Amino acid sequence: MRDESDPYDRDGSPMMDAPYEAAPGIHVLPSQVPLPGVGVLPVNAYVLLSDEPVLIDGGMGADSDEFVDGLASIIDPTALRWVWLTHDDADHTGSIQRVFELAPQARLVTHAFSALRMTSWWPVPLDRVHAIRVGDRLPVGDRTLRAVAPPLYDNPTSIGLLDEATGALFSVDSFGALLPQATQDAADVPGEALAGGMQAWAAADSPWAHLLDRERFGQVLDGVRRLQPSQILSSHLPAASGTSLGRFLEVLASVPDAEPAVPPNDEQFAQMVAAMTEQPPQPSLAAT
């Protein structure tokens, strides 16, 4: 694993940070994508050490060797019984095939269409797929995981989960944020920077949010509020306490009225690429 104080590889590619425990029995496999002039985007997978251990998502392909090493530092991959794939985007599926080769007893828990779409690039063992829909429950020994719909998403197959034993909510891309620096706890990010980064991410990741009926979207957010999670574990945010939920939902409620995200043009993109290979190391808030 790399020096956590440097979010850039020598060629500007993202690399993984060391795994950490966000709560008893919940470990984070963290990485980040550097965005010069903007900050960093966290990219997390999770390991749930239940009686039947669960890996949640498969990281980025650029990190595959480090991802597998990080997973092995937490649990012998052969002990995995479930891999919950929240959706089939590239930043969630990077090591999925390798994991299934290393974990012959694991089953793939995902939206049926995710499993079918992935057959276009790897030979998904369809006999090992456990297809789920929102509202389904999956017993994993000492607890039950409930499939829940994230309030915002960039992929229609997205399915989050609530650990009914601990109250931990794995919220997929919802509550993600573009951050000034890497950290292991969302509470370490100044409130204004966190809210701005979360709004910017939501507007970019779910541009359709600007078309939403505000009243109906409010009902969706109320549904998340009723979950009363003890912890919020987003794919794109450091671990956050459930006490942050009200503030997080206020940010999401503002997204339909926020300025639409505008991607970089070709000249701006070239400048970003150059900065990614020249950027000096930045200080990190992550614990050492």
Side-chain angles (χ1 to χ4, degrees), residues 151-163:
L152 289 178
Y153 51 86
D154 64 359
N155 182 321
T157 69
S158 298
I159 299 181
L161 59 147
L162 180 73
D163 178 355

Side-chain angles (χ1 to χ4, degrees), residues 204-224:
D205 195 55
S206 303
W208 50 267
H210 298 289
L211 307 175
L212 285 171
D213 177 286
R214 275 49 169 183
E215 183 177 351
R216 295 187 67 179
F217 187 43
Q219 293 171 359
V220 169
L221 298 181
D222 285 343
V224 178

